Amino acid sequence: MKKARALIVDDENIIAWTLQEKLTKEGFEVKTAENGESAINSIREDMPDIAFVDVFLPDIGGIQILKEIIGLNEDIPVIMITGSGSVDTAVTAMKLGAYDYISKPFNLTEVAIIAKKAIESKRVNREVTWRLEKEKKTHSIDSIIGESKEIKDVLDMIQKIVQSDATTVLIEGESGTGKDLVGRAIHYASRRSARPFMDINCTALPDTLVESELFGYEKGAFTDAKAKKIGLFELADGGSVLLDEIGDMLLMTQTKLLKFIENKRFKRVGGASDIEVDVRIIAATNKNLKEEIKNGRFREDLYYRLRVIPIFILPLRARKGDILILAKYFIDKFNQEFRKDVKGLSSKAEQAILSYHWPGNVRELKNVIERAIILESKDEILIEHLPIEVVEGVPVKGEEQQQSSFVLPEGGVPLEEVEKNLLIQALKKAGGNQSRAAKLLSLSRYALRYRLKKIGYLKADATD
Ligand SMILES: Nc1ncnc2c1ncn2[C@@H]1O[C@H](COP(=O)(O)OP(=O)(O)OP(=O)(O)O)[C@@H](O)[C@H]1O
Ligand SMILES: [Mg+2]
């Protein structure tokens, strides 16, 4: 690792010298300056990683040097060296942004510790700022691609939401339509962006865990609660929490959530005192919550409370105008990632992706393009590079011959792939009619649908 460079500005040679010796021993590269002028020249020439500055210097005062350093780069920790009776100056220096001060006579070991801590904390600060900037960029509103009226409406809505600081948002849409993307964009475009963004998927966790994840618990709240746990709402104070798949939240937890939204305060599980936090709640669901309410699985009052601002993202098949735009965007993205130079889609491939119904929405399109870019070695994505279900309806040269032969290829073939192929072929032959396709494979319609769901052709919860 590169040595940290320290600058010591002190006119008392003995001080500068002992400090230099100690810091050099501790692995610093040290420069010294005896007066303000040479200190400022040295800083301008070669920015140090840390500076020790005596408040009393023969020419320019230490405070002036501090201002100079901060003006040039506020990331450099400045440690003031003060004599007895200069407490006021030390206080002024701290107010102006000095990292710390040490008083003469000082303990050299302590000084070395302060110096290392200062460098480490500035490094961590820089890293955090860098990560935050990156997060903001990757999750900016510009990362939401599409030119259909529907997507433009969503973008307009986001712009309005980010102006108001606290409103609750409900994002509805099928799986893969971009609910997560929109949720994050709302957080990172809002004034809350410097505070945490936390998300929780209510489906992925066992029901009872959701509540303690959100609200936290006190030590001893239940058998396994060996220590206090801070929940997401507390951790995200000042920021936003995305409650993903809220349709799967237990009724009991829904009640507690509703109370929290209304009062902005809650109790940890097993806790007695109220905790007040300020978070924006962004809820997302791919379920039809109205349906869930009818079936008694979702609280109606919570639904209306969440829905202060609703965003509905249409499935991709209902905004066909976005398909080619998104495809182009993903081609560029994966070209970069895999160092390819694929120019675009052949007209047949375009036709195929335009007429496909995209049950997995944008996520599926993204995966299809990624796969095609990996397979394609020349200029254009051809229909051969697309999965069979996407191509359905557009004849591929020689495809019929290959797929209807039941000869096992030399290297073998996964049975699942054969099954998938045959299912799609049967559907094609039957012109999409499931009963006729089932007959062609000697299956009941129910068994056909079961298999179509298994291969992802139909959504798992698709009904007739
Ligand atoms: N309009 C869009 N522009 C660019 N990328 C998009 C768009 N919509 C979705 N994506 C991408 O598609 C993928 C799926 O999106 P996301 O995870 O936001 O969907 P989701 O609605 O949350 O899905 P699920 O219901 O399965 O959680 C992500 O990689 C996302 O970046
Ligand atoms: Mg999601």
Side-chain angles (χ1 to χ4, degrees), residues 364-377:
E364 188 182 7
L365 175 62
K366 187 178 174 184
N367 293 342
V368 164
I369 299 290
E370 180 176 6
R371 174 178 180 273
I373 298 272
I374 293 171
L375 293 179
E376 161 55 27
S377 52

Side-chain angles (χ1 to χ4, degrees), residues 112-132:
I113 292 173
I114 292 178
K116 285 186 175 169
K117 266 198 184 155
I119 292 214
E120 179 58 13
S121 96
K122 290 286 177 179
R123 190 192 62 73
V124 171
N125 275 352
R126 272 199 301 274
E127 190 180 324
V128 169
T129 315
W130 182 81
R131 281 185 194 282
L132 190 64

Side-chain angles (χ1 to χ4, degrees), residues 143-145 174-181 244-245 286 326 329-330 362-363 366:
S143 69
I144 305 172
I145 308 300
E174 282 182 12
S175 178
T177 47
K179 299 186 294 298
D180 252 77
L181 194 68
D244 212 353
E245 307 304 349
N286 58 22
L326 280 163
Y329 169 75
F330 291 131
V362 185
R363 179 181 295 115
K366 187 178 174 184

Side-chain angles (χ1 to χ4, degrees), residues 310-462:
I311 294 186
F312 183 72
I313 314 180
L314 275 184
L316 190 55
R317 63 184 161 280
R319 45 182 169 103
K320 286 200 182 282
D322 288 341
I323 294 179
L324 292 181
I325 293 166
L326 280 163
K328 163 101 184 52
Y329 169 75
F330 291 131
I331 290 173
D332 290 346
K333 179 180 159 67
F334 291 115
N335 265 339
Q336 260 185 30
E337 205 169 312
F338 302 124
R339 294 171 199 282
K340 295 254 184 154
D341 190 23
V342 175
K343 303 283 187 298
L345 294 134
S346 73
S347 64
K348 270 195 175 169
E350 258 188 34
Q351 203 187 320
I353 67 165
L354 279 171
S355 48
Y356 182 54
H357 65 301
W358 299 110
N361 293 293
V362 185
R363 179 181 295 115
E364 188 182 7
L365 175 62
K366 187 178 174 184
N367 293 342
V368 164
I369 299 290
E370 180 176 6
R371 174 178 180 273
I373 298 272
I374 293 171
L375 293 179
E376 161 55 27
S377 52
K378 285 181 237 91
D379 278 357
E380 239 183 7
I381 295 177
L382 302 175
I383 207 149
E384 283 86 354
H385 303 128
L386 301 176
I388 185 77
E389 63 272 19
V390 176
V391 181
E392 184 215 344
V394 185
V396 181
K397 229 183 0 185
E399 183 191 64
E400 221 74 26
Q401 259 175 353
Q402 267 173 31
Q403 284 166 358
S404 54
S405 69
F406 284 95
V407 182
L408 184 67
E410 202 57 44
V413 64
L415 187 56
E416 273 177 19
E417 211 163 274
V418 177
E419 185 183 26
K420 188 168 173 178
N421 255 311
L422 289 175
L423 286 165
I424 305 284
Q425 280 191 61
L427 267 176
K428 267 201 241 171
K429 277 227 164 76
N433 181 313
Q434 292 179 8
S435 303
R436 259 188 281 152
K439 239 187 213 145
L440 286 172
L441 297 170
S442 304
L443 291 171
S444 69
R445 184 164 172 282
Y446 173 81
L448 176 86
R449 286 178 63 79
Y450 171 79
R451 287 181 158 78
L452 290 175
K453 281 177 190 171
K454 211 173 67 182
I455 63 168
Y457 186 86
L458 284 178
K459 277 187 71 174
D461 56 356

